[in-house]
Amino acid sequence: MTTGPLNDRPADPSPLLALDIGGTSLRAALVQGGRVLDRVEARTPRPATPDAVITAALELARPLAARAGAVGVACAGAVARGRVTATATHTFPGWVDIPLAERLGAGLGLPCAALNDARAAAWGEFAAGAGQGTTEFMFVTVSTGVGAGLVLGGRLHLAGNGLDAELGFVTVPSHWHAGALTPAGQLAPLEFESSGTALNARAAALGFADARALCDAADAGDATADAEYRHSAAGLAWKIADIAALLGVTRAALGGSVGLRPGYRTRVQEALAAFPERYRPEVVHAALGADAGLIGAALWAARSARHGEAQDGGAQDPSTRDASAQG
């Protein structure tokens, strides 16, 4: 499904509370006018069971909540109607259809809306970062995994099952490189070929300390390291071209520890050059860095509260409101 356009968003008079729930850390921030005013952070509990994480998130956010008008949550996993099911069950055990927005909203006494973390970052970049001035926009994070979010016609794309833009799940041939006339090799998820985790594995096999060392060596002219680096970029470029052909995306912003490297963006652009011009969206770096998800979640909370969508992440009942009326 899609959501209402950004241009229906008036200036919000009060700060908004944002929570970012990740596998390593929990972050809370006050956001106003697309800027982070104040922030706190804590480590994610281990094991990261629903009760443990929600309790820790509430403790972290309560000191900021009194100054906020609504709360937005960015969370890893499949998020639909404010409910979360983990896709990485080893990191978030027991997360199956957890009513995260409802529980956090009740605990903080604020209207609450939740988004997948990559979708929140996409909305933040579209509203206040690298996506400004576009109507068809994609944010892609290349870090431990590969995640994405789509804005189409100025509306954040959200699917009823929470699989809104799972770019890391789509497949690519595991031996394909830019410039090859015909892809060859077994199929593998893009995340297995282009993520920081994949680059770490290749780095270890080649004797490098980690993905960063491999990428640094590639940038310094090491041909072996460069071939692996270009393999990662080529797979991502292919899928960006596919999305441009399918949905008319005109700009793609790269984020994450790998995606924000200058050399990575250059290699993605070079790989895209093998495709017809109309399938080559502008590729830029994300502008908001690690704050994109916090800012996007906060802006989404304000929008959701105004439209009566708190606690459902923006999902609509199609029997009462069709897509053309959203916003």
Side-chain angles (χ1 to χ4, degrees):
M1 63 166 295
T2 55
T3 64
L6 178 66
N7 59 14
D8 69 351
R9 177 172 58 85
D12 201 77
S14 61
L16 301 156
L17 176 60
L19 271 166
D20 188 342
I21 297 175
T24 302
S25 64
L26 306 176
R27 298 186 298 152
L30 283 174
V31 177
Q32 190 170 37
R35 294 186 307 110
V36 174
L37 304 179
D38 197 3
R39 73 179 78 220
V40 289
E41 184 172 343
R43 293 193 64 82
T44 303
R46 287 287 179 270
T49 59
D51 285 346
V53 171
I54 291 170
T55 297
L58 288 171
E59 290 175 355
L60 185 69
R62 278 195 182 106
L64 302 178
R67 298 159 58 189
V71 55
V73 185
C75 184
V79 183
R81 299 175 179 85
R83 306 179 76 90
V84 179
T85 296
T87 52
T89 54
H90 60 288
T91 303
F92 290 100
W95 286 73
V96 180
D97 198 33
I98 301 300
L100 181 66
E102 179 182 347
R103 291 183 61 178
L104 289 175
L108 296 170
L110 292 170
C112 182
L115 289 173
N116 166 271
D117 50 3
R119 261 63 91 195
W123 189 245
E125 288 290 341
F126 174 72
Q132 293 180 98
T134 68
T135 55
E136 275 67 42
F137 170 72
M138 179 166 64
F139 167 80
V140 182
T141 177
V142 185
S143 188
T144 302
V146 177
L150 284 167
V151 176
L152 304 174
R155 300 163 181 258
L156 183 64
H157 175 65
L158 295 176
N161 65 356
L163 300 178
D164 317 304
E166 292 292 354
L167 199 66
F169 293 176
V170 302
T171 55
V172 293
S174 58
H175 300 297
W176 181 80
H177 291 263
L181 293 177
T182 305
Q186 295 181 339
L187 294 177
L190 176 67
E191 194 163 285
F192 290 9
E193 302 299 316
S194 295
S195 66
T197 300
L199 284 170
N200 268 327
R202 294 193 187 108
L206 293 172
F208 293 100
D210 53 21
R212 177 179 294 180
L214 182 146
C215 296
D216 287 344
D219 287 337
D222 185 304
T224 301
D226 188 57
E228 297 296 344
Y229 201 12
R230 287 186 182 276
H231 176 83
S232 168
L236 183 63
W238 187 10
K239 295 299 109 177
I240 289 175
D242 280 353
I243 296 297
L246 285 168
L247 300 173
V249 165
T250 59
R251 187 180 301 161
L254 304 182
S257 58
V258 177
L260 285 172
R261 292 182 63 102
Y264 193 77
R265 181 171 75 100
T266 296
R267 286 166 175 81
V268 170
Q269 291 171 318
E270 290 171 352
L272 274 172
F275 294 88
E277 183 176 358
R278 61 181 175 173
Y279 304 148
R280 300 198 305 258
E282 180 185 12
V283 178
V284 300
H285 277 140
L288 303 180
D291 287 339
L294 288 169
I295 292 170
L299 295 176
W300 190 252
R303 183 202 175 281
S304 297
R306 278 195 315 278
H307 292 281
E309 297 163 4
Q311 299 186 351
D312 69 2
Q316 298 290 326
D317 180 348
S319 66
T320 60
R321 197 173 186 191
D322 64 29
S324 65
Q326 291 169 26

